[in-house]
Amino acid sequence: MLSASFAAPAWAQVGSLGGAAGPTLTPPPVLTNRDDPFTKPGREYSAVPIGIWLAYPTLFFGGVFDNNVSQTTAGRTSSAGARLVPSLLAEANDGIHKTTLYGMADARLYGNGGTRSIDALAARAGVIERFQPMLDMVFNFQGDYTRQRDLFSTFGIDHSVTSLNPTAIGLAPTTSPLAYNQFSGTASVQKAFGSAFVNIGGSVVGIQYDHNDPTSPSPDGVTYTATGRGGFWFTPVLYAYTEAALDERRFSNQIFNSSGYRTVGGIGSDQIGLFRGEVYGGYQSERHDFAPIGNVSGTVFGGRVYYYPVRELTLSAAVDESLGVSLLAANSTGAPGVSTRATTVLLQATYALAREWTASSRLGFIHTDYVNAVRTDDAWTVGATLTYSVWYNFGLTLDYQRVQLTSNAPLAGFTRDVISVGGTYKY
């Protein structure tokens, strides 16, 4: 789920869940029963032992300056303030059950004008349970809570390269956005049959926005998805698979209701040295109950890569396409509601420059096509974090993030720069 971290003498940073020395959180791999070099002995894991649990707490505290707090095109509000980013990763593993708890919040208290304090909070928390009663069978469960205004707001704190939201709704930055709460639950079971494997799973994702105007359409809704995957290992380290998913989307405003499917085929790898990845391509379609919104379909491609070329460097990337709906109208005289197709690219790198210095960078891109409309949006974010260790568990941190939206629609774009300076503590 989250990007991995390296294990040289490293120091906690903003956006490093559990600290840079904590274990990695990544999507569960295809069952192999082979040793995992990503967690081999020798990595420097510093944890607080609490019974059967190993906990990795971190805390960033300092000041922040934001030159466009509300992400507006004109009349921008700049503000300085305080920023607090606590995080905790805890893990218990007895060989059969592995439970992981994670949580991170990014609270920003702006000094003037600014925005409502509740909108200045981005957060992510959840639990992951892995149960393997037999060598050839594994169960995975995850519950997740995310609060954000768009995907880039949480990308700045947890560096996630995988979104649990299967739709394009709420992902791309917009002007004057509303914050929303996302509740996700996923479950899957995987069974191996020699060199073949089968995976069956499902998910429920609910989105609730703040301050909805009762006179306007609401994007609040729930998406139900069922997924089946089957594949086989055609070499000891490479597998091929096909996957099919069905979804049902239900909104508080029924004109946005839809159902659809997605079929893909791909190739993935077990850990090859310090590399693991997966690429896929296929077809997806979403049919809306309200005919004026129309239907959208087309090819889909994507992939995820996790790579450790050296102990000091971690690289992770994800590419995906998703179908959604927007409250915008297809034209100036039409009713609200238009289908969208969003392509998302997320990249993250972390590097230990020296024993005292640690740097990380992140890049995000979301391209949104509005189906049957002339509008297209391109959203970018780029960020970097630099930490100098004063002591083993305390460092001085400088963090910068820029978000930019360009659109062919008038008065739809904006730029935003956020600079944070403070201290970071890890156990």
Side-chain angles (χ1 to χ4, degrees), residues 152-308:
F152 290 164
S153 64
T154 46
F155 186 46
I157 60 167
D158 67 13
H159 298 173
S160 173
V161 294
T162 303
S163 172
L164 294 180
N165 185 350
T167 75
I169 301 168
L171 293 184
T174 61
T175 56
S176 303
L178 291 176
Y180 66 89
N181 299 305
Q182 176 182 294
F183 303 88
S184 306
T186 64
S188 66
V189 56
Q190 182 175 269
K191 181 71 169 66
F193 302 92
S195 61
F197 59 88
V198 174
N199 187 302
I200 299 175
S203 67
V204 179
V205 178
I207 295 180
Q208 296 181 343
Y209 281 80
D210 290 352
H211 314 298
N212 284 319
D213 183 349
T215 64
S216 301
S218 170
D220 292 357
V222 181
T223 298
Y224 306 89
T225 305
T227 305
R229 171 189 282 207
F232 65 97
W233 294 87
F234 60 91
T235 78
V237 294
L238 295 175
Y239 62 87
Y241 72 93
T242 59
E243 181 179 283
L246 300 174
D247 70 69
E248 193 79 13
R249 304 177 185 181
R250 291 294 174 258
F251 295 87
S252 56
N253 189 314
Q254 296 183 1
I255 68 171
F256 300 134
N257 291 352
S258 67
S259 59
Y261 66 90
R262 171 171 162 143
T263 60
V264 299
I267 295 176
S269 75
D270 189 14
Q271 291 83 12
I272 303 175
L274 291 176
F275 170 89
R276 181 168 66 221
E278 189 174 276
V279 294
Y280 55 84
Y283 189 83
Q284 61 182 345
S285 177
E286 196 71 21
R287 181 182 62 83
H288 292 272
D289 297 353
F290 186 55
I293 294 182
N295 303 324
V296 58
S297 60
T299 58
V300 58
F301 67 92
R304 298 182 186 92
V305 174
Y306 302 89
Y307 182 44
Y308 298 71

Side-chain angles (χ1 to χ4, degrees), residues 70-85:
S70 300
Q71 295 186 179
T72 56
T73 300
R76 303 195 312 178
T77 299
S78 300
S79 181
R83 186 180 183 191
L84 183 67
V85 186

